[in-house]
Amino acid sequence: MVIVMDHNATEEQIQTVMQRLEAAGYRAHLSRGVERTIIGAIGDETQLGDAGIEMLPGVANVIPIMHPYKLASRIMREEGTVITIGDVEIGGETVQVMAGPCAVESKEQLFEVAEKIRASGARILRGGAYKPRTSPYSFQGLAEKGLQLLAEAREKYGLLIVTEVMDPRTLPLVAEYADIIQIGTRNMQNFYLLREVGRYQKPVLLKRGLSATIEEWLMAAEYILSEGNPNVILCERGIRTFETYTRNTLDLSAVPVIKHFSHLPVIVDPSHGIGKFRFVPPMAVAAVAAGADGVMLEVHPNPVEALCDGAQSLTPKKFAKTMRQMAGVARAIGRKM
Ligand code: PEP
Ligand code: MN
């Protein structure tokens, strides 16, 4: 449940509510907004009951939560979350672009992409060092060497880096290098991994599971938030449907729906959503129009030779054109790019 305090509730009244919730077995999460102070009670309401909170002085309203997610909900936080990393804001006025190869393959490949995406205006470089491949015989990524190359590219080109963690055992290493830790679609419900990244303060990019409903996705975010990491960015990347022409079906409707129910920033990855480079640019532009806070795009200097996901990768030239188109739409809807 969510407890809304009176405008003039005293500090003592707030503390009494917090203590009573904790004594009843809840974890109490205090949120002091400009307009009002809100306390989120985290715990199973069906087991723990209402703890008599409604009768306490200073309490304006007790809202039972219809949704199973609490910290991810807009009820807990009316204004959208803005995640600031250096001079880059995600969830603010500016639409951010994360671009780069599916996998880090070599210094030459990564640096060429990094230079070109930066020149086109992107601020965040993506690239997998640990790749979740369907076949164990496919290229699995360069592991720590890949992380080192990403870090070098960050220094040289003034970019932030986002890269995937697949295993809690490599999390300390990935967290040491990454500015944003990516949780891939296949791990969206790896609850142990979610809890582990929740213990860091590094921003986490949480991709939607292949067959996850919006509610299941927000519950996965809840795992991270409830461990104390408030810096979660959601990423729509296509879901499995009966359609086989495209790799997945990019659910752009998830963007306004998430924006309605949650305060978390949401970005869109049309590359994995569609799987065919030809159709990626129009959907990237549509993602901006739908209100996404960012777009993730796979870019490779020579897609034909890519070790991973070449078919969906844009050349730097196609990427530059897509950037111009996205910027035009961003301006038209009152945002920057
Ligand atoms: C990726 O972004 O590199 C990736 C593997 O994406 P997804 O988890 O969405 O398949
Ligand atoms: Mn990929």
Side-chain angles (χ1 to χ4, degrees), residues 101-103 126-128 130-133 164 182-187 205 207-208 210 235-238 247-248 269 272-273 296 298 308-309 312:
C102 180
R126 62 145 289 142
Y130 297 92
K131 294 304 304 175
R133 304 305 299 276
E164 180 166 352
Q182 179 170 324
I183 303 268
T185 194
R186 294 157 189 83
N187 273 314
L205 181 76
K207 287 196 151 195
R208 181 176 183 179
L210 277 172
C235 177
E236 163 62 39
R237 50 76 71 206
R247 183 175 179 182
N248 292 289
D269 167 2
H272 291 90
M296 174 178 263
E298 284 188 341
C308 184
D309 285 350
Q312 67 194 32

Side-chain angles (χ1 to χ4, degrees), residues 103-154:
V104 179
E105 297 170 8
S106 67
K107 183 167 178 174
E108 296 67 39
Q109 171 240 24
L110 187 68
F111 279 33
E112 181 172 348
V113 176
E115 184 184 358
K116 295 203 166 137
I117 63 142
R118 184 72 169 95
S120 298
R123 298 298 313 278
I124 306 166
L125 175 66
R126 62 145 289 142
Y130 297 92
K131 294 304 304 175
R133 304 305 299 276
T134 300
S135 165
Y137 309 118
S138 301
F139 175 60
Q140 303 286 309
L142 296 182
E144 190 171 2
K145 175 79 188 144
L147 297 174
Q148 285 163 354
L149 290 173
L150 284 165
E152 281 179 41
R154 165 175 53 205

Side-chain angles (χ1 to χ4, degrees), residues 172-236:
L173 189 65
V174 173
E176 196 185 307
Y177 286 95
D179 297 300
I180 304 171
I181 303 168
Q182 179 170 324
I183 303 268
T185 194
R186 294 157 189 83
N187 273 314
M188 188 206 82
Q189 284 189 316
N190 182 340
F191 300 118
Y192 187 71
L193 184 60
L194 297 176
R195 281 199 196 281
E196 287 294 316
V197 293
R199 298 195 179 114
Y200 286 73
Q201 291 298 302
K202 280 253 158 108
V204 177
L205 181 76
L206 178 64
K207 287 196 151 195
R208 181 176 183 179
L210 277 172
S211 301
T213 63
I214 288 173
E215 190 169 285
E216 286 163 344
W217 186 17
L218 287 170
M219 290 307 291
E222 194 76 16
Y223 265 89
I224 302 170
L225 299 169
S226 66
E227 287 298 324
N229 186 346
N231 303 311
V232 177
I233 305 155
L234 299 166
C235 177
E236 163 62 39

Side-chain angles (χ1 to χ4, degrees), residues 257-317:
V257 173
I258 291 278
K259 286 271 162 205
H260 179 74
F261 287 113
S262 177
H263 54 86
L264 296 172
V266 56
I267 74 156
V268 172
D269 167 2
S271 304
H272 291 90
I274 296 145
K276 294 181 177 173
F277 77 88
R278 201 178 296 289
F279 308 118
V280 168
M283 297 310 281
V285 172
V288 177
D293 296 303
V295 176
M296 174 178 263
L297 289 164
E298 284 188 341
V299 181
H300 196 286
N302 186 4
V304 179
E305 300 296 330
L307 296 180
C308 184
D309 285 350
Q312 67 194 32
S313 298
L314 300 179
T315 58
K317 195 167 163 211

